[in-house]
């Protein structure tokens, strides 16, 4: 499912710097999708592998340690390996570093509206122009899997010690109350226009 982002009102950032979304050229979308999908899957497979390993070795307690101490480091590692900026974001974030910016909010809203109408788009693409340079953003949606409910499900059904630990690590946590199959958020991959050539 394709979704192109169209021109919206420009915003002013840092004084005279203008940032705005512009239309994604149709001929560039396949390459954006190829890069975005490969990069987001590389991150997701890495994080999933670490979480599964932690669950097998030390259960949910150790998995929480991976999320709080290693997830950002692993994301940075994949960024360094691929050369693309990556972020996991959602409206119900646990780590404040994952809070969406206004363009990410647009993408999240797009998926939420599509889901309400009974669809789950495979991706969403934006083109953001800042100081005459264009960066394409590829968004891959994420659904909640059964394993995720250990730490992101109904708190009343979770281990009380785990709930306490999560609240200690993330005092403003909003990432609970999910059911399997719920829309969780997106992985965002930023691709500078000059890297498409």
């Amino acid at each position: 499912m394709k979704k192109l982002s169209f021109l919206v009102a420009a915003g002013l950032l840092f004084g005279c710097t203008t940032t705005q979304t512009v239309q994604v050229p149709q001929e560039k979308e396949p390459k954006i999708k190829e890069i975005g999908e490969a990069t987001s899957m590389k991150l997701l497979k890495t994080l999933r592998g670490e979480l599964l390993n932690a669950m097998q070795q030390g259960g949910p307690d150790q998995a929480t340690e991976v999320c709080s101490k290693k997830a950002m480091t692993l994301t940075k590692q994949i960024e360094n390996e691929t050369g693309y900026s990556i972020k996991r974001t959602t409206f119900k974030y646990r780590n404040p570093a994952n809070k969406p910016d206004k363009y990410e909010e647009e993408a999240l809203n797009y998926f939420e509206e599509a889901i309400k109408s009974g669809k789950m788009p495979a991706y969403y693409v934006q083109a953001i122009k800042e100081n005459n340079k264009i960066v394409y953003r590829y968004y891959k949606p994420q659904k909640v899997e059964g394993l995720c409910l250990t730490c992101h499900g109904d708190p009343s059904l979770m281990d009380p010690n785990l709930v306490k630990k999560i609240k200690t690590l993330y005092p403003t946590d909003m990432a609970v109350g999910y059911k399997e199959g719920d829309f969780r958020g997106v992985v965002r991959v930023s691709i500078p226009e000059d890297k498409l050539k």
Side-chain angles (χ1 to χ4, degrees):
M1 178 94 185
K2 296 179 182 178
K3 173 68 173 93
L4 300 181
S5 183
F6 295 96
L7 185 65
V8 295
L12 291 176
L13 296 175
F14 311 114
C16 59
T17 301
T18 58
T19 304
Q20 67 189 91
T21 56
V22 295
Q23 190 169 351
V24 177
Q26 210 166 8
E27 69 276 9
K28 293 189 177 181
E29 191 168 340
K31 187 66 176 176
I32 295 165
K33 182 185 175 200
E34 178 188 326
I35 293 170
E37 184 68 12
T39 306
S40 57
M41 285 305 298
K42 187 177 178 78
L43 174 65
L44 291 170
K45 285 178 182 175
T46 301
L47 292 175
R48 184 178 174 79
E50 287 284 335
L51 281 171
L52 286 172
N53 188 47
M55 285 290 283
Q56 288 168 358
Q57 290 185 3
D61 195 61
Q62 193 161 327
T64 305
E65 292 291 320
V66 168
C67 287
S68 65
K69 295 179 179 174
K70 290 186 77 175
M72 289 298 197
T73 303
L74 290 168
T75 302
K76 197 70 184 167
Q77 176 186 313
I78 302 299
E79 284 183 331
N80 291 337
E81 289 174 11
T82 63
Y84 302 109
S85 171
I86 313 169
K87 179 180 175 184
R88 292 176 304 135
T89 189
T90 177
F91 285 127
K92 291 172 65 175
Y93 52 89
R94 176 159 282 172
N95 185 336
N98 297 123
K99 180 180 179 180
D101 65 22
K102 68 176 184 177
Y103 301 109
E104 292 159 353
E105 286 180 359
E106 177 189 313
L108 290 164
N109 282 323
Y110 166 72
F111 285 109
E112 289 192 348
E113 288 303 312
I115 290 163
K116 283 179 191 172
S117 64
K119 302 170 189 171
M120 173 53 103
Y123 67 97
Y124 178 79
V125 175
Q126 291 171 326
I128 299 173
K129 186 175 184 180
E130 183 172 0
N131 289 338
N132 294 319
K133 290 185 179 178
I134 293 177
V135 173
Y136 297 106
R137 285 185 170 193
Y138 175 89
Y139 296 89
K140 181 176 181 64
Q142 295 300 291
K143 283 187 176 181
V144 174
E145 297 178 24
L147 176 68
C148 306
L149 298 178
T150 307
C151 298
H152 294 282
D154 180 345
S156 68
L157 302 176
M158 291 162 55
D159 181 321
N161 291 326
L162 181 61
V163 172
K164 186 177 178 182
K165 180 172 185 174
I166 291 169
K167 276 293 180 189
T168 301
L169 291 168
Y170 306 103
T172 59
D173 178 39
M174 295 183 279
V176 290
Y178 286 103
K179 296 181 182 69
E180 189 169 358
D182 283 352
F183 174 58
R184 173 73 181 98
V186 295
V187 175
R188 188 264 295 148
V189 180
S190 294
I191 308 160
E193 186 175 41
D194 59 9
K195 289 200 174 185
L196 287 183
K197 297 171 183 174

